[in-house]
Amino acid sequence: MPEPEDAEHVEKERAERREERAEQEEPGNRGERDESAEDAERRRRRAAFLRELNEAKALRDRVQPRRARAARMRQQMRMRTFRW
């Protein structure tokens, strides 16, 4: 069973979290929502970019199989000689 001091500490943290949530839900905090929308848009654009980049790399590997194989071999050698 937790000691009384621990229980008080836990209750304080819970109360602080409730206050933070209440502040975030106030209508005056539109800026935070705008930022999250901007972040979501940025993440969406980034995901699209990374998809296109992977497609381009796959196409390059199909078009230049010898170069792709050499690159794979170099990567394997790098990983073999890598030290933690």
Side-chain angles (χ1 to χ4, degrees):
M1 219 154 173
E3 297 180 11
E5 293 176 7
D6 292 338
E8 291 173 5
H9 181 70
V10 169
E11 280 302 314
K12 274 186 181 178
E13 287 182 357
R14 287 181 183 162
E16 289 173 1
R17 285 191 212 120
R18 281 193 295 266
E19 290 174 5
E20 289 174 4
R21 274 190 241 121
E23 289 173 3
Q24 290 175 354
E25 293 174 1
E26 290 178 6
N29 289 332
R30 296 272 185 219
E32 292 178 12
R33 290 193 184 118
D34 292 340
E35 289 175 11
S36 65
E38 290 173 7
D39 287 345
E41 176 65 19
R42 183 185 60 81
R43 285 192 299 273
R44 188 189 62 74
R45 286 193 319 263
R46 183 174 187 270
F49 169 76
L50 291 175
R51 271 194 306 273
E52 291 173 3
L53 180 63
N54 286 334
E55 288 175 11
K57 286 181 179 179
L59 176 63
R60 185 181 62 201
D61 290 348
R62 284 194 305 272
V63 172
Q64 300 174 336
R66 187 181 304 164
R67 187 174 290 178
R69 182 174 184 269
R72 279 195 310 271
M73 295 298 159
R74 283 193 300 274
Q75 176 65 16
Q76 287 175 357
M77 287 302 293
R78 276 197 301 271
M79 295 309 290
R80 284 185 198 140
T81 59
F82 183 77
R83 293 183 184 258
W84 296 95

